[in-house]
Amino acid sequence: MTQNLWGGRFTEKPDATFAEFNNSFKFDRRLFEADVTASIGHANGLRRAGVLSDADADSIVEALSELLTASTATPDFFTSDAEDVHSFIEARLIDAIGETGKKLHTGRSRNDQVATAFRLWMREAADDLSEQVRQAQSALIRAAERHADAVLPGYTHLQRAQPVMWAHWCLAYFEMLDRDRSRIADARRRINIMPLGSGALAGTGFPVDRAAVAKELGFDGISANSLDAVSDRDFAVEFVNACVLIAIHLSRLAEDLILYTSTEFGFVELSDAVSTGSSLMPQKKNPDALELVRGKSGRILGHQTGLNTMLKGLPLAYNKDMQEDKEAVFDAFDTVTACLKITSIVLDDLSIREKEARTAAVTGFLNATELADHLVRKGVPFRSAHDAVGRIVLFAAANSRELGQLTLEEMKAIAPSIEADVFEVLGLNATLASKSAAGGTSPERVKAALDEAKTRVNQ
Ligand code: ARG
């Protein structure tokens, strides 16, 4: 039985059910490497302050380094009834070097310790996450390039609106993910500040050079106020916020593709490898991978709410409520990482049914705006042109024809300014080509945007 770190003033043993309730080792062992690393930094800080002799500091640092090696080499290394990862490491250190190990906790508390380890862990997680987002962006670029000429109906209100290039759709999600990467980088700047040396709440009573410890641990700076340093978890909230927006972006992408794979739309074919069948209906091919991506976004959002709600009423400084921050962050990170990986696989494997998508893009008056623009170029004010084209659409729909299938006379009867060159603007290519201002879906713009995206994702 591992001794807890605080037994001195207690005469009774912890209730077994409470001990289990209080135990965080089952999840915070994930901080093992970060906490050992921070402990080495702390030992060196105590050495520089003259609090630990060189011999003691050397022995502690060496034993901690050996723990790192042993943790990956020893099966069952983490089998322990330790209260948390901090108690676990200290107990292992004392097992290894005896009395000297008992000196490590000088001038620190688990409160500054846990905040430090959590930030170290999150700094790495932020880098991993950013890389996964980049991978998904690359998959979007590949999907765009595999179907460089494909065209889809674009929607507003889920009603056919105007045609867009498939690559334009891909690049829309590319941009969302690009902002997600910048949000992660921004959160990382505030994550990478060192709380160590704040003690339990009031600061440390030993003259450690905190800046030197921070430098050794790769932090960009040190916290300015000990009460704040041990008790805020805004950095964790920011990290989860970044996860939430990624999850929301992936969920919308999933929703689009789920619709596009349905028979009703029929623009996209997913690979069998990311689809499932029905136990009853032999014909079914279901987009489960995408549905899970959409569904899991709810869970990540839940962690954001849980974390914020846990924090909102806490008095300064540390409270045990804050132990709840770990599972929220770990699960948000794990879940969003899994969603990013699956989305990349789905994108790499899908194909566009280009013929069907193109047919849909020219069915349902998606060129009505072009007809109105044609009238504007003939001198008709836009509002009047809009009204006239509305009446032409009404006429065409009543006769089950598209605008390009009407005769010039039929159109002129409603809008006399229409001329024979109208048929040039009603074609799909003309419709697309006209969206040539920056950010638009003209094939030329999209090609340039794709090149630019490739440069950005490789930076
Ligand atoms: N497991 C704790 C946490 O995650 C570590 C800090 C405990 N500190 C304390 N004073 N009880 O928050």
Side-chain angles (χ1 to χ4, degrees):
M1 168 109 182
T2 313
Q3 288 259 304
N4 57 44
L5 300 175
W6 37 261
R9 66 97 70 213
F10 288 77
T11 53
E12 283 179 57
K13 286 212 161 316
D15 174 89
T17 307
F18 167 64
E20 177 56 27
F21 188 62
N22 188 38
N23 181 291
S24 58
F25 189 54
K26 48 190 174 284
F27 51 85
D28 69 13
R29 51 185 265 184
R30 261 180 103 154
L31 299 179
F32 175 77
E33 203 185 314
D35 204 51
V36 171
T37 305
S39 293
I40 291 174
H42 180 63
N44 285 328
L46 292 176
R47 174 214 306 267
R48 284 189 292 267
V51 178
L52 284 181
S53 68
D54 273 332
D56 282 352
D58 282 344
S59 149
I60 288 172
V61 168
E62 195 185 322
L64 288 171
S65 306
E66 278 165 15
L67 281 185
L68 278 183
T69 319
S71 69
T72 52
T74 319
D76 300 335
F77 180 80
F78 289 103
T79 307
S80 165
D81 58 2
E83 178 186 345
D84 57 23
V85 67
H86 321 292
S87 326
F88 173 78
I89 294 167
E90 194 170 313
R92 287 296 158 102
L93 179 67
I94 294 166
D95 284 348
I97 58 171
E99 287 300 303
T100 308
K102 296 184 179 173
K103 297 182 179 177
L104 172 63
H105 209 56
T106 310
R108 79 173 179 185
S109 152
R110 276 186 295 169
N111 299 350
D112 57 348
Q113 190 182 352
V114 71
T116 303
F118 203 25
R119 284 170 180 267
L120 278 178
W121 180 89
M122 219 177 289
R123 178 173 84 187
E124 206 174 309
D127 293 341
D128 288 353
L129 185 58
S130 188
E131 176 55 22
Q132 284 307 325
V133 175
R134 209 176 65 79
Q135 298 283 343
Q137 289 181 288
S138 301
L140 281 164
I141 290 176
R142 288 191 293 274
E145 288 188 321
R146 275 203 314 283
H147 294 282
D149 300 323
V151 179
L152 296 175
Y155 295 84
T156 67
H157 312 267
L158 202 56
Q159 307 292 319
R160 282 185 200 174
Q162 293 183 317
V164 293
M165 303 293 294
W166 158 250
H168 201 54
W169 179 95
C170 293
L171 289 174
Y173 285 102
F174 178 95
E175 292 298 334
M176 297 178 221
L177 294 180
D178 218 44
R179 290 192 296 278
D180 288 328
R181 270 205 298 155
S182 105
R183 258 184 288 275
I184 297 167
D186 188 45
R188 191 193 192 282
R189 289 192 298 122
R190 282 178 294 276
I191 289 168
N192 202 28
I193 298 296
M194 190 189 78
L196 193 62
S198 299
L201 75 162
T204 179
F206 294 89
V208 280
D209 178 350
R210 295 184 59 215
V213 176
K215 188 150 180 269
E216 181 179 335
L217 294 174
F219 282 107
D220 294 327
I222 59 172
S223 55
N225 178 291
S226 61
L227 284 170
D228 170 46
V230 295
S231 72
D232 207 347
R233 292 293 183 266
D234 53 0
F235 63 96
V237 172
E238 284 193 66
F239 180 81
V240 173
N241 286 350
C243 294
V244 164
L245 272 167
I246 297 168
I248 288 175
H249 291 150
L250 296 182
S251 179
R252 294 190 70 182
L253 178 152
E255 168 66 5
D256 266 349
L257 292 180
I258 290 166
L259 288 173
Y260 295 169
T261 56
S262 71
T263 311
E264 283 68 16
F265 287 76
F267 312 149
V268 171
E269 185 73 34
L270 299 182
S271 74
D272 285 2
V274 292
S275 307
T276 63
S278 157
S279 60
L280 177 75
M281 299 166 283
Q283 86 283 14
K284 290 303 292 290
K285 179 174 165 185
N286 297 326
D288 290 34
L290 292 168
E291 290 170 302
L292 282 168
V293 168
R294 188 177 58 186
K296 284 177 191 292
S297 65
R299 170 164 149 183
I300 298 169
L301 258 161
H303 290 313
Q304 182 188 45
T305 305
L307 198 53
N308 279 308
T309 312
M310 177 276 283
L311 283 173
K312 71 176 269 296
L314 296 183
L316 288 185
Y318 178 85
N319 301 269
K320 194 60 171 269
D321 315 47
M322 288 157 73
Q323 179 164 286
E324 292 292 310
D325 59 5
K326 313 293 178 307
E327 286 163 293
V329 168
F330 293 155
D331 190 68
F333 170 74
D334 291 343
T335 307
V336 83
T337 301
C339 290
L340 282 162
K341 286 184 178 162
I342 288 294
T343 302
S344 299
I345 294 171
V346 169
L347 287 166
D348 272 332
D349 286 7
L350 64 71
S351 52
I352 303 299
R353 302 172 73 211
E354 296 198 21
K355 205 167 128 275
E356 289 78 357
R358 188 170 289 265
T359 303
V362 296
T363 315
F365 313 110
L366 289 90
N367 52 357
T369 313
E370 275 56 49
L371 182 52
D373 289 349
H374 170 78
L375 280 168
V376 167
R377 287 189 198 103
K378 304 291 175 193
V380 180
F382 179 76
R383 191 50 56 214
S384 313
H386 185 286
D387 182 66
V389 174
R391 284 182 286 124
I392 294 174
V393 167
L394 197 61
F395 173 80
N399 290 280
S400 306
R401 278 184 280 163
E402 288 295 320
L403 296 178
Q405 296 167 329
L406 299 176
T407 65
L408 183 59
E409 290 65 39
E410 284 169 329
M411 287 192 268
K412 265 181 157 330
I414 297 171
S417 313
I418 295 183
E419 293 179 22
D421 59 347
V422 67
F423 294 103
E424 285 160 33
V425 304
L426 292 179
L428 177 63
N429 290 343
T431 306
L432 289 168
S434 69
K435 305 303 179 305
S436 60
T441 196
S442 79
E444 240 168 81
R445 278 287 179 192
V446 172
K447 200 186 163 315
L450 206 48
D451 287 342
E452 192 272 328
K454 274 202 270 191
T455 318
R456 235 190 297 162
V457 85
N458 290 318
Q459 262 160 17

